[in-house]
Amino acid sequence: MLAVIRTLSSRQVFAIKALLFICCLLPCALYLWKFFQDALGANPIEAITHASGKWTLRFLLLTLAITPLRKLTGWHWLIRLRRMFGLFTFFYACLHATTYFWLDQFFDWHGIAKDILKRPFITVGFAAFVLLIPLAATSSNAMVRRLGGRRWQSLHRSVYAIGILAILHYWWLVKRDITAPFGYGLILVALLGARAWWREQERRRQLATPVERFQRTLKPIAPRSE
Amino acid sequence: MLIRVRRFAHPIAPSEITPQSLYQARRDFLRAAGFAGIGLALPAWGVDKLAGVQKSSYSTSETPTPLINIASYNNYYEFGTRKDSPSENSGQFKTRPWTLRIEGLCAKPRSFAIEDLLKLAPLEERIYRMRCVEGWSMVIPWNGYPLATLLKQVEPLAGAKYVEFTTVADRATMPGLSFPVLDWPYTEGLRIDEAMHPLTLLTLGLYGEELLAQNGAPVRVVVPWKYGFKSAKSLVRIRLVDKQPATTWTKADPEAYGFYSNVNPEVDHPRWSQANERRLGEFLKRKTLMFNGYADQVAQLYAGMDLRKYF
C-alpha cells in the first residue's frame, strides 16, 4: 500500500488536490450554514471569530507539516499540496481579520489602531497576518522565478515566525484554560523542532565529509625496508 | 447577510418582550423534545415556578436577553471552560437537599435549607444588566431578595468587615473540577457595605422559575455593578470576616482581576479594553457604563477611593 502511494502520476495528484480543495472549503461552508440557521449560539460574532482563527492556525500547521511528512514517508508528491494549504491559511486568516475589522470593531480605524498598539495579543496576531501577505503574494510560479529560488525560500522562512506569533496570539487571548493553545503549540514545536534537528544532522554530515575524504586519500606510509 | 444586519440594527421594542406564556411553552416543547440538538439540560425540578414574585423599582426597562441565551452561554468553570459546557455538563447536578451555612463574625450563625431560603422574604423580580469581564453583556430578570435580608438573620457583629462566599465543589457532578483551571472551591467576597447594599441580590430564580444549574442553582448572589465573576454561584457557605478574603480570580491573576472588580470603562483589563461591550443579540458594540450603569446607587460606596488602584 505504502509503496503504491510513494509515487503518483500527475493526474492522481491533481485528483487528490481537487478533493482536498473542496475539503478545505468545508469549515467555511459549515459556519456560513450555521450562521444562516441561527445555530451559532448566543454570541455568533464570537463564534465566527474563534472558528476562523482556529482554522487559520490548523491550516498553518498543516502547511508546516508537509515537509516533515515528506521526509518521513518519502512521498515527494506531498510538496505539490503545500502551496494550496498555504493559500487556504491566508484565506482563513483574511476571514478572521475581516471578522475583527468588521463585525468586532465595525471599521473603527482609530479603535483598531489603538488595539494593535496597546493589546499584545492583537499586536502579534496582526503582525502574523501582515507577514502572511507577502507569502501569499509570492506564491505563484512566476513569482518564484522572478525572485529566484534562494531569495524566495529565505522570504518564505518567515512562516516559522508567523507560526510562533499565531500561537502567542491564541495563548494571550485565553483567560485561564490554556489547554487548546498549549496543544497547538506542542504541534508547532514538533514541526519546527524536526526541521532544526534535520538541519543539525545535515550540518554535522557536511562537517564530517571533508575529513573522511581526506582520510581516504591518505596513503599508508610504506614501511622502510632496512 | 443584509437581512441579518438589519435585524440586529433594529432591537426589539420593549413591548415585544417574549411573554411568559410563550417562553413557558417553548421550555415545555424543549423538554418534550428531549432537549435534542440544543444541549440544554433543564433539571427535572426546573419546572418549579416561583409564586408571588413582585416587581422592583431597581429593574431596568431594557429588553431582557432570551432565556435560551442566558441558559446556554455561561462561564461556570466547575462544569467546564467552554461557554456551552455548563448547560451540557450540569445534568447530574443536584440542588436538593441543599443547605447554606452562614457563620463567622455573627451573633447567630446557622444553616438555612433551600426551602427556608425560598420562604424567608418576598421574592422580587430584578431585571439587571450583567457585564462580563470578557466584554459581553446580557439583561437578566433575576428573582430574589436583598442579601442584607438574609445577613440580618444571623446578626453580624461590628467586627465583620467583609463577606466571603463559597461555591459548592462536588467532583461527582461537576466535571470541570477535575482540571486545575482555578483553585477550587470557588470563593468570592464583598466588603460588608457592598454586601448590605439593596442592589446586592440573594438570587433564587430566573424568569420566574427556580435557577438552572448553569446559572448558579439553587442559590447565588448577584452584584450588578461588578463584573460577572464577582457574583458567586451555587452557594454553600457565607462567612462574615474581619479581613479582605482571598478570592479565586484574584489568586489566579492578581494583575487582571482585583478584589473590587467594579465595572469601569476607564480601567482596562491588562489584555483588552473595557470601554465597550457586546450586548448579546446586538450587532454593534455599545459603550460600557461606569458601575455598569448603577453609579447613582453605588458610587458613594467608593467616594475618595482611587479606582485605578482598587480595581
Side-chain angles (χ1 to χ4, degrees):
Chain A
M1 176 65 192
L2 288 183
V4 176
I5 41 180
R6 206 169 230 285
T7 50
L8 294 179
S9 70
S10 276
R11 281 182 64 151
Q12 285 169 317
V13 174
F14 180 80
I16 289 176
K17 242 176 119 166
L19 189 70
L20 286 174
F21 186 89
I22 293 165
C23 291
C24 291
L25 282 170
L26 287 181
C28 179
L30 174 74
Y31 276 87
L32 271 176
W33 183 79
K34 278 190 174 180
F35 183 79
F36 286 107
Q37 292 294 310
D38 214 351
L40 286 171
N43 197 345
I45 293 174
E46 182 194 67
I48 293 171
T49 311
H50 287 177
S52 56
K54 272 187 191 172
W55 281 104
T56 306
L57 186 54
R58 285 169 190 162
F59 277 106
L60 182 66
L61 294 175
L62 190 61
T63 313
L64 283 168
I66 293 291
T67 299
L69 264 180
R70 184 175 150 227
K71 280 210 178 190
L72 286 172
T73 58
W75 304 347
H76 294 292
W77 55 269
L78 282 174
I79 197 73
R80 292 167 64 186
L81 304 175
R82 192 173 64 177
R83 170 164 52 197
M84 184 175 74
F85 289 141
L87 284 170
F88 267 109
T89 308
F90 186 63
F91 171 69
Y92 281 96
C94 287
L95 291 181
H96 187 54
T98 307
T99 324
Y100 168 70
F101 292 137
W102 177 31
L103 301 180
D104 195 77
Q105 296 288 322
F106 211 75
F107 306 117
D108 169 15
W109 299 112
H110 180 71
I112 291 168
K114 248 175 62 183
D115 247 8
I116 292 169
L117 292 174
K118 260 181 90 175
R119 316 278 161 218
F121 92 91
I122 295 186
T123 314
V124 295
F126 187 73
F129 175 64
V130 169
L131 286 171
L132 273 177
I133 296 170
L135 305 197
T138 58
S139 64
S140 65
N141 289 337
M143 282 308 285
V144 181
R145 274 197 299 277
R146 245 175 90 177
L147 281 171
R150 191 176 279 270
R151 274 202 305 179
W152 184 89
Q153 200 175 27
S154 51
L155 171 67
H156 279 248
R157 286 219 171 97
S158 66
V159 73
Y160 306 147
I162 293 169
I164 295 166
L165 291 171
I167 295 291
L168 280 179
H169 173 62
Y170 195 4
W171 200 291
W172 289 342
L173 155 80
V174 299
K175 204 164 74 170
R176 188 69 192 158
D177 183 2
I178 50 144
T179 319
F182 183 77
Y184 287 110
L186 269 188
I187 296 171
L188 182 74
V189 165
L191 293 175
L192 297 187
R195 285 172 169 81
W197 192 74
W198 277 317
R199 223 185 147 95
E200 179 61 19
Q201 296 299 309
E202 176 66 14
R203 193 182 67 88
R204 286 195 185 167
R205 202 179 57 77
Q206 285 183 0
L207 278 178
T209 315
V211 178
E212 277 167 23
R213 207 182 299 138
F214 179 64
Q215 280 171 341
R216 249 179 267 124
T217 54
L218 272 182
K219 280 181 186 148
I221 300 160
R224 205 190 293 174
S225 52
E226 282 181 77
Chain B
M1 201 65 208
L2 269 175
I3 296 162
R4 183 85 187 181
V5 172
R6 288 173 60 143
R7 208 191 83 189
F8 274 113
H10 300 280
I12 310 154
S15 59
E16 292 174 61
I17 298 168
T18 315
Q20 185 162 3
S21 57
L22 236 178
Y23 71 71
Q24 185 58 51
R26 246 181 253 162
R27 292 183 113 182
D28 292 344
F29 170 76
L30 292 179
R31 247 176 239 118
F35 331 128
I38 48 150
L40 234 179
L42 302 172
W45 54 267
V47 286
D48 289 347
K49 286 193 69 162
L50 300 170
V53 177
Q54 303 167 355
K55 300 263 177 234
S56 162
S57 56
Y58 286 116
S59 288
T60 169
S61 58
E62 291 163 273
T63 309
T65 305
L67 177 65
I68 183 90
N69 290 348
I70 298 173
S72 63
Y73 190 82
N74 309 95
N75 280 325
Y76 197 162
Y77 282 12
E78 285 85 338
F79 293 116
T81 56
R82 293 160 48 106
K83 291 286 182 291
D84 50 10
S85 308
S87 55
E88 284 177 2
N89 300 338
S90 57
Q92 300 300 310
F93 190 69
K94 299 275 183 296
T95 55
R96 296 288 190 283
W98 193 278
T99 49
L100 169 58
R101 174 89 192 147
I102 307 186
E103 58 187 33
L105 300 171
C106 56
K108 294 178 175 168
R110 62 169 277 205
S111 296
F112 292 83
I114 185 65
E115 293 78 8
D116 299 337
L117 289 173
L118 281 161
K119 285 182 293 199
L120 190 71
L123 294 173
E124 297 170 38
E125 180 192 57
R126 297 275 185 102
I127 307 174
Y128 280 164
R129 289 175 289 274
M130 202 286 289
R131 168 65 156 80
C132 178
V133 73
E134 296 166 350
W136 51 269
S137 63
M138 298 186 184
V139 177
I140 308 180
W142 300 110
N143 308 119
Y145 47 80
L147 176 66
T149 308
L150 176 66
L151 292 181
K152 281 173 193 157
Q153 296 279 315
V154 299
E155 297 174 18
L157 300 175
K161 304 286 186 213
Y162 294 90
V163 179
E164 181 197 67
F165 304 96
T166 305
T167 295
V168 72
D170 178 26
R171 286 181 74 110
T173 59
M174 304 172 100
L177 292 171
S178 308
F179 304 95
V181 182
L182 292 170
D183 187 9
W184 317 115
Y186 192 95
T187 58
E188 255 309 332
L190 294 172
R191 227 169 48 189
I192 190 82
D193 55 342
E194 297 175 326
M196 299 302 274
H197 192 279
L199 276 175
T200 303
L201 196 70
L202 188 83
T203 306
L204 297 141
L206 166 69
Y207 264 119
E209 292 183 9
E210 285 196 24
L211 285 171
L212 298 168
Q214 58 268 40
N215 298 116
V219 56
R220 64 175 296 174
V221 69
V222 172
V223 195
W225 71 93
K226 292 173 180 281
Y227 293 118
F229 69 89
K230 290 297 293 181
S231 297
K233 303 186 185 83
S234 306
L235 300 176
V236 288
R237 191 177 66 176
I238 298 177
R239 223 149 53 101
L240 293 144
V241 292
D242 57 347
K243 291 194 180 63
Q244 184 176 304
T247 58
T248 298
W249 275 104
T250 308
K251 278 192 278 180
D253 188 349
E255 306 287 306
Y257 311 104
F259 175 78
Y260 286 92
S261 285
N262 293 315
V263 174
N264 188 339
E266 286 155 27
V267 178
D268 287 341
H269 187 280
R271 289 180 290 156
W272 57 81
S273 163
Q274 295 292 27
N276 301 301
E277 67 198 52
R278 166 155 290 118
R279 174 71 51 84
L280 295 191
E282 290 181 355
F283 184 66
L284 293 178
K285 287 190 174 178
R286 52 166 71 206
K287 292 243 171 287
T288 289
L289 303 173
M290 190 66 199
F291 296 113
N292 203 22
Y294 297 97
D296 288 349
Q297 289 91 344
V298 300
Q300 85 282 355
L301 294 176
Y302 311 100
M305 273 175 73
D306 179 356
L307 295 178
R308 285 186 181 277
K309 189 174 170 211
Y310 298 100
F311 60 93

